[in-house]
Amino acid sequence: MSAQKDRWVPSLLFLLFCVSSIPKRASASLQQEPSPQHYFSGLEAGKTSLAFFTPSVSPGAQPFLEQIESSAEALQDYGVSVVKVNCPKEDVSRYCGKENSLRKAFLFRGNRLIREFPTDALFDVNSIVANVLFALLFNEVKYIETLADLENIENALKGKSNMVFAYVPATGTAEHRAVMEAAFVYGTIHQFVLTTEAALLKATSHDDPDVSSAWLLFCHCQRATEPSQPCRRTALAQPLTLLSIHRHLKLMGAPLVTEVAEDPEKISTVHLQLGLPLVFILSQKETYEADRRTAEFVAWQLLGKAGVALLSRDLVALNVLHRSNVALKTPDEGMPIQYLVLEDTDEVITLVEDKNKVKQIQEDEQEEEEEDEDEKENSNQDIQDDQVVEAVSRDKKRQLPLEQILVLTEENFHSSLSKAARTVVLFYASWEAVSLAVLRSYSEVATLLKGTLGVLLSRVNCWDWPGLCSQENVTQFPTMRIYKEGQQSVTYGGMWGTEELSSFILLSQVPCPLKLATMDEAEGYLRGEFPPELSSHHHTSLLGVFSTATSEAREAFEEAGNILSGHIRMGVYFEDEALSLSQKYSVSPPALLLTRSGSRSVESIALSKHSVQDMVQMIRHQLLDIFPEITVSNLPQYLQLGKPFLILFSAGDISQVEGKEMLKLAKGRPQQTFVACWLNLKKTPVGHGILRTYFSTTPSLPVLLWVNLHAGGQVFQFPSEQSITEMNILSWLERLQAGLEIPSSTLSEEDWKPPLPAYDFLQMMEPSVPELSPHPGDTPAQHPPQSPGGDTARGDSATREEPSQKSTAGEIGSPGRGLRGTAPRLAARDKQGKRHSEL
């Protein structure tokens, strides 16, 4: 009973606070003064009052008087009295003159005037309370207008105090009042900052925020101990009210991770008291450090949504499965704690955000235990090491929306190719994991391109129609081709993510290169306005400019366009005004003009080599960003350069100062010898695993590293005590090249290989195998190159498809951080042999 009683104490206290601050419909607190002289003579030092001066008879004043009287008791809770002063008719002073008659209200502290308010700004109780408190807290609540102002305040608070940053569309609103009332209570604990600038809100958000709604961010500047370390920000997800702000600040003030050493049933934290669940990460002494880091990572992801606790198995005897690694306690009375086995941190986050996930995980675990009992005699080969197969099998029960994709057979294949200007065909095998993973991306492409004129998306299951796939010379799965009547089909050869596939299909709609007839068309092409069907899509535009004397280079450029069709937006201009266009951009034909996505500047590049292969290689090289953000999809392009990496790891977007310094460095002469880049761990979580490979413990972020993957595998860390500037980095690189720096670590020369041999799918299938003729050395299950985190394309996956036209698939999130501790990372114990034979 004592624990239950303690749980309600904070909530009860705050309830009393809220009740006391609710304005009541009574005017007992409104003070009446017979004259200005009587009012001013009674003012006391340190006492605050809001006064309005009115003649005894004032037509049209009744609405304002009702609102000011209603606000009297609300302001009284903050030590502000509301006074109505009656002005004699003969009084023509500053406060009682005709120019002021009920047009202004005055806020006094003692006999000192603090602020004048036009009465049209005090239009209701919320506006009166908000504006009065804003005036009283003028020195405590900072009002800002620019991003630089916000960054200056953050820098001043780092290591000292936290900040509450609020945006309200306008002052005097209910949300503005809520912020001011919260600042009145918590202003001595946190620095409150307010803005009404929509541009500033957009600058602080990665998404496109709704500027018509109020926003509140809690900035954890106290945890930023280094000047270069950014303040983490946690947004208030609920509508902005006094109660929601109080709740958010209570959650932000709670310990990030609570370590517990007693029965979880007896544990009560502020999260449970406020109606949020509590997640336990089960740990033991041998893995404590790793489990602690995992718990902190999960806690940051769930901040404001759930609490996280680290529960030691060594100190608490738990009567649960030894492989259980996560427990969930909900605030509902009488609900037992759920002990679960989860794969990674993404599943923990989904567990909190999706209430149906607990039941699904328990059902999957029960099904898995039954399969283990039935197949104990299976060998270690049944432990599937392929993450694509694992993901496909785990989500086999989820349905894919394939209604918009036409199913092709031997009977309708050729006739369907003439139904649209371009027919996109995905050839796949319903028993093969990568095919089914790509089918997931393909279904999302169908949704994105729904209604696009002249494009028909279709699919062929080569399990059902092996003869058709043989006729089309499809020898590996999956294969995607675009057919256009009267032209040779184009085969896709890139990453299998939704964005990459849809971009390829859209770019294939226009010729490559697109021949431009006039100088206006060429200029519009560089601006991204031509051709019209691509004007709404952001692509890098590459324009080849040739004179009549450079026909050889133009022919090579056009052939390069055929090779790069679908992967790049290319145009060609060789009309009479080509020389004028090239002179405008200070280059002589043959030349390339390049406009990058999102930029208005035009880069000029002279063409010196005229062979097709040199042209293709040069174009691909020019398309690479100068200071790129490394992602799973673009990493192979930069690895192919064979250069060392100067890579900045960041927990979010890098600061403007660091970005400018790194960009200056990348544009300088040394950039020819290495790749200057950065990696956002928030968008590319696989970076956590990379850092754990480089270091025994994850360093504080941001961290700048020199990594030479192609020679020696040495990793050098830029000194954390130095600021990231071009001069400091160049000085450090000179010391590094002179052999004066000691590497932080050296990567192993051992090849990355699967821990187990690949499945022999043909041996597992039924005797009647479709007679497909793969290339020599190919296997029926061809997997795209795996990223360091095991992703294929975007990590999306689908499941097997029955020989009928029904398909099932699962949604797989971005790769999460592996859960360590008492239960090792699950090894995808899927019994693929049995499931494949069912097909």
Side-chain angles (χ1 to χ4, degrees):
M1 283 297 291
S2 61
Q4 185 175 3
K5 180 180 178 182
D6 292 342
R7 170 178 170 175
W8 286 101
V9 169
S11 300
L12 182 59
L13 290 175
F14 182 67
L15 182 62
L16 292 174
F17 167 75
C18 291
V19 170
S20 68
S21 63
I22 296 175
K24 300 176 177 60
R25 276 292 205 188
S27 58
S29 298
L30 179 65
Q31 299 180 17
Q32 301 276 351
E33 291 291 351
S35 67
Q37 293 79 4
H38 193 271
Y39 167 67
F40 286 116
S41 64
L43 291 177
E44 300 179 25
K47 297 292 185 179
T48 306
S49 60
L50 177 67
F52 61 98
F53 298 79
T54 176
S56 55
V57 178
S58 180
Q62 192 59 33
F64 171 71
L65 293 176
E66 290 178 357
Q67 296 300 325
I68 201 78
E69 290 175 4
S70 299
S71 67
E73 290 199 5
L75 288 174
Q76 190 178 42
D77 293 327
Y78 299 101
V80 181
S81 59
V82 180
V83 183
K84 176 185 176 184
V85 182
N86 295 315
C87 292
K89 291 183 179 180
E90 64 278 5
D91 191 343
V92 292
S93 64
R94 172 186 179 185
Y95 299 106
C96 288
K98 290 184 178 180
E99 68 280 358
N100 179 53
S101 180
L102 265 186
R103 293 180 183 177
K104 290 184 181 179
F106 301 86
L107 184 65
F108 293 92
R109 179 171 284 145
N111 58 3
R112 182 170 64 89
L113 177 62
I114 299 176
R115 184 69 56 85
E116 296 180 8
F117 299 104
T119 53
D120 57 0
L122 308 179
F123 47 84
D124 62 6
V125 175
N126 288 327
S127 63
I128 295 170
V129 176
N131 282 301
V132 169
L133 292 182
F134 197 13
L136 292 177
L137 300 174
F138 183 76
N139 293 322
E140 286 76 22
V141 178
K142 306 291 186 183
Y143 181 83
I144 61 173
E145 296 180 345
T146 66
L147 183 61
D149 294 337
L150 180 64
E151 291 177 347
N152 290 337
I153 295 175
E154 280 187 322
N155 291 333
L157 292 176
K158 286 179 180 178
K160 301 175 185 176
S161 179
N162 296 318
M163 180 176 72
V164 180
F165 172 55
Y167 162 80
V168 293
T171 58
T173 59
E175 293 85 359
H176 183 206
R177 173 184 175 180
V179 173
M180 290 300 104
E181 290 184 310
F184 195 92
V185 179
Y186 294 99
T188 57
I189 305 173
H190 309 302
Q191 174 66 64
F192 277 72
V193 176
L194 181 73
T195 189
T196 56
E197 298 293 330
L200 178 55
L201 173 64
K202 293 182 178 180
T204 57
S205 176
H206 300 304
D207 303 319
D208 187 15
D210 179 9
V211 296
S212 64
S213 302
W215 288 71
L216 185 138
L217 294 174
F218 186 89
C219 304
H220 306 265
C221 296
Q222 197 170 16
R223 293 179 177 270
T225 55
E226 298 292 333
S228 59
Q229 186 178 354
C231 299
R232 288 176 178 263
R233 296 168 180 172
T234 305
L236 172 63
Q238 290 78 32
L240 204 154
T241 64
L242 179 57
L243 183 60
S244 65
I245 296 175
H246 163 80
R247 187 173 182 269
H248 193 61
L249 297 184
K250 292 289 286 183
L251 293 172
M252 298 302 103
L256 184 64
V257 175
T258 304
E259 296 196 28
V260 296
E262 59 179 309
D263 187 352
E265 295 285 358
K266 300 177 181 179
I267 299 297
S268 177
T269 66
V270 65
H271 305 86
L272 293 169
Q273 295 165 13
L274 294 176
L276 297 178
L278 181 62
V279 175
F280 294 92
I281 304 295
L282 276 56
S283 176
Q284 59 186 11
K285 182 171 61 177
E286 293 80 0
T287 59
Y288 170 80
E289 292 297 334
D291 296 330
R292 175 77 191 185
R293 290 195 298 270
T294 298
E296 290 177 353
F297 178 81
V298 171
W300 279 116
Q301 303 302 310
L302 294 178
L303 197 58
K305 301 176 184 178
V308 176
L310 193 63
L311 177 61
S312 173
R313 282 181 175 272
D314 302 312
L315 302 177
V316 181
L318 298 176
N319 187 23
V320 297
L321 292 175
H322 185 69
R323 60 179 184 154
S324 297
N325 55 2
V326 172
L328 180 67
K329 183 176 183 179
T330 63
D332 303 323
E333 293 290 341
M335 289 296 292
I337 294 179
Q338 306 290 333
Y339 291 90
L340 308 165
V341 180
L342 299 185
E343 170 72 15
D344 55 29
T345 53
D346 278 349
E347 289 198 356
V348 181
I349 296 165
T350 305
L351 179 72
V352 172
E353 295 176 347
D354 184 358
K355 295 182 179 179
N356 297 323
K357 188 69 175 177
V358 178
K359 184 177 180 181
Q360 178 188 333
I361 291 175
Q362 291 175 328
E363 291 176 353
D364 291 345
E365 288 179 0
Q366 183 177 1
E367 179 182 340
E368 184 179 306
E369 290 174 6
E370 292 173 356
E371 289 181 0
D372 288 344
E373 291 295 325
D374 294 339
E375 303 183 15
K376 283 184 178 179
E377 69 278 4
N378 285 353
S379 65
N380 287 337
Q381 178 66 33
D382 288 326
I383 301 177
Q384 181 53 260
D385 60 278
D386 190 302
Q387 294 189 9
V388 179
V389 177
E390 173 190 348
V392 168
S393 301
R394 184 172 63 243
D395 297 322
K396 60 184 177 295
K397 296 178 181 178
R398 298 193 180 183
Q399 199 76 24
L400 264 184
L402 299 174
E403 301 81 8
Q404 301 175 48
I405 302 175
L406 178 65
V407 177
L408 300 183
T409 66
E410 286 182 348
E411 287 79 11
N412 70 355
F413 181 81
H414 294 287
S415 61
S416 298
L417 296 183
S418 61
K419 290 184 177 180
R422 282 172 176 77
T423 304
V424 185
V425 183
L426 176 68
F427 298 91
Y428 67 102
S430 58
W431 48 265
E432 195 265 324
V434 176
S435 289
L436 300 174
V438 171
L439 196 61
R440 169 73 187 177
S441 298
Y442 196 56
S443 68
E444 293 176 353
V445 171
T447 302
L448 284 175
L449 301 185
K450 183 180 180 181
T452 302
L453 297 177
V455 177
L456 174 65
L457 267 63
S458 61
R459 57 191 171 103
V460 175
N461 184 355
C462 291
W463 170 268
D464 292 337
W465 308 104
L468 174 59
C469 296
S470 296
Q471 291 173 14
E472 293 300 311
N473 196 28
V474 175
T475 58
Q476 63 182 19
F477 309 124
T479 293
M480 189 181 82
R481 288 183 182 157
I482 297 181
Y483 292 83
K484 184 179 180 182
E485 190 172 358
Q487 296 183 10
Q488 187 177 358
S489 63
V490 178
T491 302
Y492 177 67
M495 300 289 284
W496 290 104
T498 304
E499 183 178 348
E500 292 82 0
L501 291 175
S502 58
S503 176
F504 178 77
I505 294 171
L506 287 172
L507 286 175
S508 298
Q509 287 184 276
V510 297
C512 186
L514 178 65
K515 294 182 179 180
L516 305 171
T518 66
M519 191 166 177
D520 288 341
E521 283 188 358
E523 294 275 19
Y525 182 83
L526 288 174
R527 292 192 299 269
E529 301 168 358
F530 188 86
E533 54 264 43
L534 292 183
S535 60
S536 60
H537 300 276
H538 298 289
H539 296 286
T540 297
S541 297
L542 185 72
L543 177 63
V545 182
F546 303 92
S547 63
T548 54
T550 56
S551 58
E552 181 184 350
R554 176 169 59 84
E555 291 172 0
F557 181 77
E558 291 177 348
E559 183 60 31
N562 293 331
I563 296 173
L564 297 172
S565 176
H567 296 283
I568 179 176
R569 173 179 168 139
M570 289 175 62
V572 61
Y573 184 61
F574 52 90
E575 299 299 326
D576 295 337
E577 294 178 321
L579 188 59
S580 300
L581 181 66
S582 60
Q583 288 176 347
K584 179 179 179 180
Y585 296 103
S586 304
V587 68
S588 299
L592 298 182
L593 300 179
L594 178 68
T595 306
R596 300 185 184 276
S597 175
S599 173
R600 291 183 175 272
S601 61
V602 178
E603 301 175 27
S604 305
I605 305 150
L607 284 176
S608 57
K609 297 181 180 180
H610 298 165
S611 73
V612 175
Q613 291 303 320
D614 288 339
M615 194 86 70
V616 169
Q617 184 177 357
M618 187 272 295
I619 290 173
R620 285 176 171 164
H621 179 75
Q622 291 297 333
L623 290 178
L624 297 177
D625 289 333
I626 298 174
F627 177 51
E629 177 185 355
I630 294 298
T631 63
V632 172
S633 59
N634 69 13
L635 176 61
Q637 303 173 36
Y638 294 97
L639 285 175
Q640 288 174 358
L641 299 176
K643 299 178 182 179
F645 276 53
L646 180 66
I647 181 167
L648 178 65
F649 288 83
S650 173
D653 287 339
I654 56 178
S655 69
Q656 291 183 352
V657 175
E658 292 172 347
K660 289 180 180 178
E661 293 295 323
M662 290 293 292
L663 188 59
K664 285 195 299 183
L665 180 73
K667 288 181 177 180
R669 287 187 305 170
Q671 65 98 9
Q672 300 294 332
T673 59
F674 60 87
V675 177
C677 56
W678 68 290
L679 190 148
N680 185 345
L681 296 177
K682 193 172 183 181
K683 291 171 58 177
T684 311
V686 71
H688 289 285
I690 296 174
L691 285 178
R692 288 197 297 271
T693 302
Y694 292 166
F695 304 97
S696 56
T697 58
T698 303
S700 60
L701 300 176
V703 59
L704 181 65
L705 303 177
W706 173 278
V707 186
N708 196 341
L709 298 171
H710 308 281
Q714 292 182 327
V715 179
F716 295 86
Q717 180 179 355
F718 180 74
S720 58
E721 66 274 9
Q722 295 187 24
S723 57
I724 297 176
T725 65
E726 181 187 16
M727 295 299 296
N728 288 345
I729 297 173
L730 287 175
S731 176
W732 176 64
L733 291 179
E734 289 177 0
R735 290 178 52 81
L736 190 152
Q737 292 171 0
L740 302 178
E741 293 288 330
I742 300 174
S744 302
S745 61
T746 302
L747 301 180
S748 171
E749 295 182 0
E750 183 180 356
D751 292 337
W752 290 2
K753 295 180 179 179
L756 295 173
Y759 275 110
D760 186 345
F761 288 104
L762 293 178
Q763 190 176 22
M764 294 180 177
M765 291 168 56
E766 298 291 345
S768 56
V769 179
E771 296 181 358
L772 297 180
S773 52
H775 287 307
D778 287 352
T779 62
Q782 298 235 345
H783 295 248
Q786 295 278 328
S787 72
D791 285 357
T792 300
R794 280 178 31 198
D796 294 340
S797 65
T799 74
R800 61 185 176 88
E801 180 179 354
E802 302 292 345
S804 66
Q805 296 179 12
K806 292 183 178 180
S807 298
T808 55
E811 296 180 0
I812 304 301
S814 59
R817 181 171 173 167
L819 287 175
R820 309 180 187 183
T822 57
R825 185 176 174 89
L826 293 182
R829 298 177 62 91
D830 270 328
K831 308 305 178 275
Q832 294 293 328
K834 175 180 177 181
R835 286 174 180 158
H836 291 162
S837 65
E838 290 171 355
L839 291 173

